[in-house]
Amino acid sequence: MSDMFSKAGEYNPVSIIAGNQVPLLPEGVTLAMGTGILSAGTVIALLTTDKTGKVVDSTKTDGTEKPYGILTDDVTLSETETTEATVYVSGYFKSDALIFGGTDTAAIHKATLRTLGIYLI
């Protein structure tokens, strides 16, 4: 009886959102050209040259060392043109569900994200 509400084959995605104590504020961004898929929960930074978004990576010095937002949905990048996407610029998120570039972790970016209105648990 405990599983009376489950459905066979039902998909229950792991949410990146930790709660509603902080408002979720989405904002549009333009992602730089690339290949592959960026998953929801990927932390995005903006290049200093053209303000297009890339995965945050603290080892860089091109603007991508500073987080800007967290992707709201999976995005397939284009090799030939920039891609429009949406990021959360405010909210309360599960740190273990976030994706960073290089060897970065939530601990590396937690303080900076907090100044942006992005809180991690």
Side-chain angles (χ1 to χ4, degrees):
M1 192 82 155
S2 64
D3 64 347
M4 65 188 258
F5 295 106
S6 66
K7 297 177 186 172
E10 183 177 83
Y11 175 65
N12 293 313
V14 175
S15 177
I16 61 172
I17 299 167
N20 62 1
Q21 296 86 341
V22 179
L24 286 173
L25 298 176
E27 184 175 295
V29 295
T30 301
L31 299 177
M33 291 182 281
T35 58
I37 297 173
L38 296 179
S39 298
T42 299
V43 180
I44 299 296
L46 300 180
L47 289 166
T48 53
T49 54
D50 61 5
K51 301 300 182 199
T52 57
K54 291 191 88 160
V55 179
V56 72
D57 185 343
S58 63
T59 64
K60 306 287 184 179
T61 58
D62 58 1
T64 56
E65 70 276 12
K66 300 174 188 172
Y68 181 77
I70 299 170
L71 275 179
T72 61
D73 299 291
D74 294 351
V75 176
T76 302
L77 297 175
S78 169
E79 291 183 49
T80 58
E81 57 188 38
T82 58
T83 303
E84 298 302 315
T86 305
V87 296
Y88 292 117
V89 293
S90 174
Y92 191 39
F93 301 91
K94 297 176 184 175
S95 59
D96 61 350
L98 300 183
I99 302 163
F100 299 87
T103 58
D104 287 10
T105 63
I108 291 172
H109 295 287
K110 187 173 184 174
T112 302
L113 287 167
R114 194 169 194 165
T115 66
L116 301 173
I118 296 173
Y119 295 84
L120 305 181
I121 184 170

